[in-house]
Amino acid sequence: MKPLKDLLKKQQRQNQYRRRDILESAQSTHVKIDGKTYLSFCSNDYLGLANDPRIIEASISALKQTGVGSGAAHLITGHSYFHHQLEELLAERTNRSRALLYSTGYMANVGAITALCEKGDLVIEDKLNHASLIDAGLNSGAAFKRYKHSDMQALETILARSDEKNKLIVTDGVFSMDGDMAPLPAIMSLAKKYDADVYVDDAHGFGVLGHTGGGICEQFSLNSDDQPILMGTLGKALGVAGAFVAGSEELIEWLIQKSRMYIYTTAMPPALAAASVKSLQIIQKESYRREHLAELINYFRMEVQKTGLSLMPSQTPIQPIIVGDEKTALEWSASLKKSGLLVKAIRPPTVPKGTSRLRITFSAAHSKDDVTKLVNNLAQLA
Ligand SMILES: *Cc1c(COP(=O)(O)O)cnc(C)c1O
């Protein structure tokens, strides 16, 4: 066994030690920790749906019909009517022939990419891709190359030099720690030029981007014969849990045959699938949630500029403030917490060394006053 005690001490010395808060309330803009209520800017509940009474009601009603556990993997007897209904709705909503549910986004990424790529193939990834995409590429057995963040020249150089027949370009749609969007139209056209496929992880875009919440592809108005393989999660904007991969008929059938993270695991509770169906219906109808969120983001960016703090080029609900070293990031986060605001410090290895940051995320459930309070407190730190 490794000397865990020493290694943990080292982690502490480097200000990289991680601790968990214990939430004593529902996920919301205001959360209770240790008996105290905080105004929180840390969740991925972008549309304020994690605690929506209509979604709670839909899951309770499904729970009464299906029981709690699915009891089996999808290929045995775990694939319920509710799972199937959700897959059909996801396919429709993403303009794809089919969609396939996974229990988590992490599993979807590793499960899909390892089923699609193997030794002799090439996986090409943006350097700032989510850890699950990096693990997927590394575990696939394919040659693995990474390009400088959103650098299309660097991507083209890799494509031009490759002699692998099957090439998969893999990217976050919205980068989870920076909040910027991948230059998807440029990636699609390079893929076409070099006969590569594209896989987009739209965990932070699905439900949020595009005028109906269709995500990154809708945001860029990609036409229907120019669509990447799409992965989305159900635990962020949808406020539930789980994930999906959407694409062609053959893609989904292949994943059902070969994707180990799909085959060898218990299906998510059917009631959660029912909850996601309800959430998708709400997301499509209630566009005011996206509009309010966009207003909050604009307002925040305008106000922060007056404080002298610098922003990242992000138009999404992820608005990081780069602080630099781990210690300062922790101090800023602690100081905000003292004032009743919850904003987490994100440190290496989650982000590159020297770019420790406060990762601020907004929800449609925030008010303008909430944002003003945040900016006033940030101004004091600056
Ligand atoms: C959150 C996230 C995932 C993982 O999804 P889970 O459902 O939480 O496992 C994958 N990719 C990106 C970009 C994410 O932000």
Side-chain angles (χ1 to χ4, degrees), residues 30-339:
H30 292 77
V31 295
K32 207 163 118 188
I33 295 165
D34 279 336
K36 220 180 137 198
T37 300
Y38 295 92
L39 171 58
S40 163
F41 295 94
C42 310
S43 86
N44 302 313
D45 180 24
Y46 299 124
L47 299 177
L49 293 173
N51 195 20
D52 186 282
R54 295 163 295 178
I55 299 175
I56 296 171
E57 205 43 58
S59 26
I60 292 173
S61 152
L63 267 179
K64 287 182 178 157
Q65 297 171 57
T66 63
V68 181
S70 68
H74 282 278
L75 296 188
I76 309 299
T77 53
H79 189 64
S80 83
Y81 163 81
F82 288 109
H83 295 124
H84 207 71
Q85 188 192 18
L86 175 57
E87 286 183 348
E88 287 178 346
L89 187 56
L90 285 166
E92 184 192 311
R93 212 38 78 70
T94 57
N95 283 318
R96 304 300 205 280
S97 305
R98 301 256 318 255
L100 187 71
L101 283 182
Y102 281 84
S103 297
T104 72
Y106 204 119
M107 292 171 75
N109 283 338
V110 178
I113 291 169
T114 56
L116 293 172
C117 301
E118 60 188 17
K119 196 165 185 285
D121 300 337
L122 173 62
V123 173
I124 312 172
E125 301 209 15
D126 188 293
K127 276 209 167 150
L128 294 190
N129 274 356
H130 189 263
S132 56
L133 293 173
I134 305 290
D135 289 358
L138 290 172
N139 288 337
S140 69
F144 183 67
K145 297 225 161 96
R146 298 210 274 169
Y147 56 93
K148 188 163 155 260
H149 178 50
S150 288
D151 183 336
M152 293 299 97
Q153 197 69 54
L155 172 58
E156 178 150 24
T157 305
I158 294 172
L159 285 165
R161 282 183 192 158
S162 76
D163 47 21
E164 288 87 355
K165 192 164 159 299
N166 298 317
K167 300 176 279 289
L168 184 65
I169 304 168
V170 177
T171 183
D172 277 21
V174 173
F175 289 88
S176 51
M177 296 301 137
D178 286 33
D180 57 333
M181 287 176 234
L184 198 51
I187 293 174
M188 293 310 297
S189 76
L190 282 178
K192 202 172 250 176
K193 182 169 168 191
Y194 292 96
D195 191 26
D197 291 295
V198 179
Y199 180 103
V200 175
D201 172 343
D202 205 21
H204 299 278
F206 187 59
V208 176
L209 297 176
H211 70 282
T212 71
I216 188 93
C217 298
E218 185 179 71
Q219 176 81 16
F220 284 118
S221 311
L222 296 185
N223 60 38
S224 55
D225 58 336
D226 206 17
Q227 298 273 353
I229 298 170
L230 179 72
M231 173 276 190
T233 64
L234 310 170
K236 287 169 180 157
L238 271 75
V240 188
F244 67 91
V245 174
S248 67
E249 180 72 31
E250 307 80 68
L251 170 78
I252 299 307
E253 279 304 312
W254 180 254
L255 295 179
I256 292 173
Q257 312 309 314
K258 294 288 181 187
S259 182
R260 296 166 68 85
M261 310 261 156
Y262 182 75
I263 300 169
Y264 298 107
T265 198
T266 302
M268 72 163 76
L272 291 186
S276 281
V277 168
K278 189 68 186 177
S279 183
L280 276 173
Q281 289 162 349
I282 293 172
I283 282 173
Q284 193 180 30
K285 266 191 291 195
E286 301 184 350
S287 55
Y288 71 84
R289 290 174 186 273
R290 276 180 297 281
E291 286 154 20
H292 177 61
L293 187 56
E295 277 166 24
L296 293 179
I297 294 164
N298 284 337
Y299 174 64
F300 171 76
R301 290 184 66 85
M302 225 169 55
E303 293 301 305
V304 164
Q305 258 147 26
K306 299 178 191 161
T307 69
L309 289 167
S310 52
L311 289 161
M312 305 275 289
S314 161
Q315 276 133 49
T316 69
I318 303 168
Q319 294 290 330
I321 305 253
I322 303 277
V323 169
D325 64 285
E326 289 92 335
K327 191 156 169 278
T328 314
L330 286 174
E331 283 167 2
W332 283 34
S333 174
S335 158
L336 289 169
K337 194 170 178 189
K338 254 193 207 135
S339 315

